[in-house]
Amino acid sequence: MPVPIPRQRAIPAAEGGQAHAAPPYDTAAPAHDTGAPARPTTGTTEGTGATRGDSGTTGGTNGSGNGAGLTLLVIEDDPAGSLTVPELLDSAGKPIRIRTARNLTEAERLLTDDVHCILLDLALTVPGSADPAEGAGGPGPDELAALRHVLRLAPRHAVLALTANDDSERGAEAVRVGAQDYLFRDELDGRLLSRAIRYAVERKRADAAQRQLTESVLRAQENARLERGLLPTPLLEGSPLRFAARYRPGRSRALLGGDFYDTVRTPDGSVHVMIGDVCGHGPDEAALGVELRIAWRALTFAGLCGDELLSTLQKVLEHERPDDEIFATLCTVDIAPDGRRAGLCLAGHPSPLISREGRLAELLPYEDGGPALGILPRARWPRCQVELGGTWSLMLYTDGLIEGRVGRGNQRLGQDGMVDMVRRQIAAGLQGDELLEAAVNEVRDLNGGDLTDDVAVLLLDRTPGGAER
């Protein structure tokens, strides 16, 4: 038999397989009840000021939890109390708990994480509501104002709309607006309503999963487009130098970060290579890294190098960064056409590592580097001339490679630790791609897992065979 809507109905607490006996009536007047007669219930009464977890559910808004049933929030303001809801059971045969609210303010207070579905009477009045679609003809009442308010209030909850028997058009419009389904007010049946609640909850969960999947795909596509800009194709046609690079963004499952690099060969036969790091990591930093890389390539082909190039890049950074605290470190190397000499500029960036034939790998000596780009408005970046020799391997890297931890303590790998590591790997016969892969993997292993900072590392090799071409 249908019963009038209880103020709130809970699953009886069971101990030792027996449920506590429930009083036949809700004798405690709720906060909003001003002298109205008590309504009969069939379960233990919950207070209207229910708090999170008061029903024992642990599954959150979109799930029923383990061993707990569903909770329905009914929102209606029928002063005659003619709206009745039958006894409801979920798919496991457990009673569906019911809470009621007579207005949207009370509904917001009762809308805790353990509520799974909302049954909204579309006849609920919302004072001051107007239909935005009325236009210049004058605002009129918005028949779905209550639904729109509930959808804004509870975007993650399933919603069932309740409408009059002769108003199926209004019910269909409610579904188009965002409800999971609609029911006729005078045809509430226990089996029908229970099935509708379960369907609405599952449909809401499926819709949320599909939306997350779509957003994930779109985000991955956008990140992939940015990543293609971060990881350029080197322009080394005609050069005897061999190029290899590895890029691994920080944070698990991240696709991009603030590190960037590039290398090109100019018409005079010189090879220019650079690597940089925008502070922070994420799409904004990655986008700024792309802009700096493209600007560097254009300026390099225009014939700029050294201080003139870095001063211009700083202007680009100052105009494109989202706030004044963003800066970028940079290392540029321009290698002479004969491959034996190079010019080096450092803007707050660690010095490259060079390995020469018959000598241990070591850092290029450089004591007069300039500040990072974006720190000092009138900074200067001197260009240092270095001798490379006939056969060499030059490794440029970002600080993510040297700032990883060593073991469980606070010790960092540092430049000295990186030099020792690369020396061992070179002694083991590694070179090119294999050397870079081994270096990045060992740094990650020493850190005990994924690095928090982005890592970019690239290698330029000049071998005897390549030098003869």
Side-chain angles (χ1 to χ4, degrees), residues 291-329:
E291 291 179 283
L292 293 176
R293 181 190 67 77
I294 294 174
W296 176 88
R297 178 176 283 199
L299 294 170
T300 298
F301 278 124
L304 276 66
C305 69
D307 179 75
E308 188 179 12
L309 186 149
L310 292 176
S311 297
T312 308
L313 278 181
Q314 174 157 281
K315 293 179 181 178
V316 174
L317 172 67
E318 290 171 345
H319 284 86
E320 298 297 331
R321 61 186 175 183
D323 64 70
D324 293 341
E325 295 184 357
I326 299 296
F327 63 89
T329 66

Side-chain angles (χ1 to χ4, degrees), residues 117-418:
C117 185
I118 298 171
L119 179 62
L120 172 66
D121 188 353
L122 294 181
L124 185 75
T125 58
V126 180
S129 64
D131 188 353
E134 291 290 336
D142 181 2
E143 294 183 342
L144 297 180
L147 175 61
R148 299 182 201 276
H149 185 96
V150 167
L151 293 176
R152 289 193 298 268
L153 183 67
R156 297 183 295 115
H157 289 72
V159 178
L160 289 171
L162 193 63
T163 186
N165 282 10
D166 57 352
D167 204 357
S168 59
E169 183 176 345
R170 188 178 183 186
E173 180 63 21
V175 173
R176 286 192 289 270
V177 168
Q180 273 59 60
D181 203 351
Y182 72 92
L183 302 170
F184 292 124
R185 181 184 180 92
D186 297 333
E187 294 183 358
L188 289 184
D189 170 79
R191 180 178 297 179
L192 171 65
L193 183 54
S194 297
R195 184 170 67 247
I197 293 171
R198 297 196 300 270
Y199 167 78
V201 170
E202 292 302 324
R203 180 177 176 182
K204 186 66 177 182
R205 182 186 293 120
D207 289 346
Q210 181 61 44
R211 183 173 60 255
Q212 291 174 356
L213 177 61
T214 301
E215 291 175 353
S216 176
V217 170
L218 293 176
R219 185 164 52 250
Q221 292 173 347
E222 191 68 21
N223 286 350
R225 284 193 290 271
L226 276 175
E227 193 173 63
R228 285 195 295 272
L230 280 172
L231 308 180
T233 301
L235 299 180
L236 290 175
E237 184 177 358
S239 172
L241 303 182
R242 297 185 307 174
F243 174 84
R246 285 293 181 276
Y247 179 76
R248 184 171 295 178
R251 301 166 299 141
S252 177
R253 298 188 302 275
L255 291 177
L256 42 84
D259 292 4
F260 57 98
Y261 62 84
D262 202 356
T263 181
V264 298
R265 182 174 184 264
T266 50
D268 65 354
S270 299
V271 171
H272 302 257
V273 59
M274 72 89 172
I275 193 167
D277 181 4
V278 177
C279 66
H281 35 230
D284 292 338
E285 289 77 10
L288 183 56
V290 170
E291 291 179 283
L292 293 176
R293 181 190 67 77
I294 294 174
W296 176 88
R297 178 176 283 199
L299 294 170
T300 298
F301 278 124
L304 276 66
C305 69
D307 179 75
E308 188 179 12
L309 186 149
L310 292 176
S311 297
T312 308
L313 278 181
Q314 174 157 281
K315 293 179 181 178
V316 174
L317 172 67
E318 290 171 345
H319 284 86
E320 298 297 331
R321 61 186 175 183
D323 64 70
D324 293 341
E325 295 184 357
I326 299 296
F327 63 89
T329 66
L330 199 68
C331 169
T332 67
V333 179
D334 55 280
I335 302 169
D338 64 6
R340 303 183 68 89
R341 300 176 311 280
L344 171 64
C345 285
L346 295 178
H349 203 88
S351 185
L353 179 73
I354 187 168
S355 173
R356 301 180 179 94
E357 187 176 21
R359 298 169 59 179
L360 291 176
E362 60 183 353
L363 296 174
L364 283 178
Y366 196 87
E367 305 296 334
D368 195 22
L373 303 181
I375 299 294
L376 299 177
R378 289 179 293 277
R380 289 292 177 263
W381 295 272
R383 179 175 175 272
C384 175
Q385 189 76 18
V386 296
E387 294 294 327
L388 301 178
T391 301
W392 48 264
S393 179
L394 188 65
M395 188 174 83
L396 286 72
Y397 53 93
T398 56
D399 58 7
L401 190 68
I402 59 177
E403 290 187 349
R405 299 183 184 276
V406 179
R408 297 183 179 180
N410 294 325
Q411 181 182 355
R412 305 285 182 172
L413 177 64
Q415 285 183 290
D416 291 340
M418 180 201 66

